[in-house]
Amino acid sequence: MSTRPETAKKLLLYWMDGMVVLLGFFLVAVMVNATTEGRQSPVTTAVGLLSMAGVMVLYSLVMRDAYDERPRPTAKLVAGGLLTAAAMLPVLPLPPDASGTWETLTYVWLSSVALYMPLWVTVCAGATLVTAITVYVSAALDQPWQAVLGSQALSAVFIPAATWIWCWLWRTIRDAHDSQAAKARLAVAEERLRFARDLHDLLGHSLSVITLKSELAAKLATKDAAKAGREMAEVRRLAGESLVEVQVAVDGYRMLDLDAELRGVRAALEGAGARCVTDVRADDLSPEARTLLAWAVREGATNVLKHSKATSCEITIARGVLEMRNDGVPPDAPAGAGSGLRGLAERMATAGGSFSASPTPAGEFLLRAEVPV
């Protein structure tokens, strides 16, 4: 059940880690180049590299905390801020020819803060950082503050926004998965409720009458044996009818219509998040064949809802052959091992048809039922 969201989470985290590594390579190259050209001292570079590594590692850890919705990682955020300050301090007395490295680290830390702090706090912190860096860089490099402000504001918006989008994308995938699972459980619960209601309607009246007639027969046994025998014969008849009705309900034959089942199955699957496509040509089939196929459709849909994470399901019926194909099959899915599918196979064999249900090499699950035409 959790394969898809966990896979999406891993992909997003790997994507984020890859971006962090690429950014780290870029910053290392800038600092090393500044050192080799004599624009930055080796001590400053060493401090910057260590601080940068710490900020990047803490950023990745904070991102993972945000994905798992853990409590606010205050210690990690504070440590990231201190490391960012440590990376900036050695540069301040020097001409910031490579100031972009320190500015980037600052906005990386700001993006970590944006995941946990209210929007107004993030905006205030970002405005403060942009203002301070703009004043310093424009004064140190003698550049127009308008140009510096534009580039700083762009970085202050883009990096936190990208971080927030990463987390928002994961939460959207997770919520969609949870919603699909809830819809599938609801569809199964509604089917169970329908079955329970059918059994109640079938047996409630019959069992009540059987109870009354049995009590009457017991009272008449010593007074009027003939009448008691007639009552017991009636009890026997009612019990036999009730047994047939129960078998009909269990087998899914009670008022089972192929067209109605197809509509209900399509609504249930689409409600669970699976696109359902039907291609049915069954007008020339006998009522018995249509009933068998209706039961196969119902049991197949139940199997899809309970044992897969399908996003699509295709149902075709032609010349008495039903094929129900769906994706989202677990890698270790057995071939027709469920009790419902075994019962369906027995029913098809009894009626002179055939049945099979198993995963396909293409990673789908194929249910195939053939009934006598």
Side-chain angles (χ1 to χ4, degrees):
M1 296 288 289
S2 61
T3 301
R4 291 182 181 177
E6 288 302 318
T7 301
K9 177 181 176 180
K10 290 179 181 179
L11 290 175
L12 290 172
L13 286 175
Y14 292 158
W15 175 25
M16 180 267 295
D17 290 339
M19 296 298 293
V20 169
V21 170
L22 290 177
L23 179 60
F25 281 148
F26 170 75
L27 297 181
V28 168
V30 171
M31 287 188 284
V32 171
N33 182 65
T35 302
T36 56
E37 293 180 357
R39 294 183 286 107
Q40 187 168 286
S41 68
V43 174
T44 300
T45 300
V47 172
L49 289 174
L50 291 175
S51 301
M52 180 196 70
V55 172
M56 294 301 186
V57 169
L58 287 172
Y59 172 74
S60 297
L61 294 177
V62 168
M63 281 287 290
R64 281 165 169 78
D65 290 342
Y67 275 47
D68 294 336
E69 292 188 346
R70 297 173 182 171
R72 181 183 301 172
T74 304
K76 295 174 185 176
L77 293 175
V78 172
L82 294 176
L83 287 173
T84 302
M88 295 182 66
L89 288 176
V91 183
L92 296 180
L94 302 175
D97 297 338
S99 61
T101 57
W102 325 111
E103 299 158 15
T104 302
L105 289 179
T106 302
Y107 298 130
V108 167
W109 174 77
L110 178 64
S111 66
S112 301
V113 174
L115 294 176
Y116 289 93
M117 302 303 292
L119 179 61
W120 69 270
V121 174
T122 304
V123 171
C124 291
T128 302
L129 290 174
V130 168
T131 301
I133 294 175
T134 298
V135 171
Y136 171 70
V137 171
S138 61
L141 298 180
D142 194 23
Q143 292 182 353
W145 66 267
Q146 294 89 343
V148 177
L149 177 62
S151 62
Q152 297 302 317
L154 183 63
S155 298
V157 171
F158 175 76
I159 297 178
T163 300
W164 185 85
I165 289 174
W166 264 320
C167 288
W168 172 83
L169 184 59
W170 153 242
R171 289 165 184 164
T172 300
I173 294 173
R174 181 198 59 198
D175 292 344
H177 172 267
D178 292 344
S179 176
Q180 180 178 346
K183 289 179 179 178
R185 289 193 298 269
L186 179 60
V188 174
E190 288 178 347
E191 178 62 16
R192 290 173 177 171
L193 181 61
R194 182 205 63 79
F195 185 72
R197 185 173 56 248
D198 287 352
L199 282 181
H200 177 271
D201 294 342
L202 281 171
L203 295 180
H205 176 72
S206 299
L207 292 179
S208 297
V209 175
I210 289 174
T211 301
L212 292 174
K213 286 187 173 292
S214 298
E215 293 175 352
L216 178 59
K219 293 178 181 179
L220 293 174
T222 58
K223 298 179 181 179
D224 189 342
K227 190 172 182 180
R230 290 194 297 272
E231 292 296 337
M232 289 306 300
E234 183 69 11
V235 167
R236 181 180 179 182
R237 184 187 67 80
L238 289 172
E241 291 179 354
S242 298
L243 179 60
V244 172
E245 289 177 341
V246 170
Q247 290 174 340
V248 168
V250 171
D251 292 339
Y253 280 65
R254 181 173 181 259
M255 300 181 63
L256 203 61
D257 178 74
L258 178 59
D259 294 333
E261 284 300 316
L262 287 169
R263 289 192 297 269
V265 163
R266 183 171 185 175
L269 291 174
E270 291 182 348
R275 184 174 61 90
C276 184
V277 178
T278 59
D279 182 12
V280 178
R281 295 185 292 276
D283 293 338
D284 56 339
L285 297 179
S286 65
E288 293 79 9
R290 290 175 61 87
T291 300
L292 282 172
L293 291 178
W295 169 235
V297 168
R298 176 189 291 184
E299 182 59 36
T302 302
N303 186 68
V304 172
L305 292 170
K306 293 180 63 176
H307 302 296
S308 75
K309 294 300 300 176
T311 60
S312 65
C313 180
E314 181 179 358
I315 303 173
T316 61
I317 299 177
R319 295 186 295 276
V321 178
L322 161 70
E323 288 192 352
M324 194 167 183
R325 191 185 305 268
N326 65 275
D327 62 1
V329 182
D332 56 348
S339 59
L341 295 182
R342 285 197 300 268
L344 178 60
E346 294 172 358
R347 176 60 60 183
M348 289 293 176
T350 301
S354 62
F355 174 82
S356 63
S358 62
T360 66
E364 298 177 322
F365 193 89
L366 174 62
L367 182 151
R368 189 179 189 276
E370 183 175 358
V371 298
V373 295

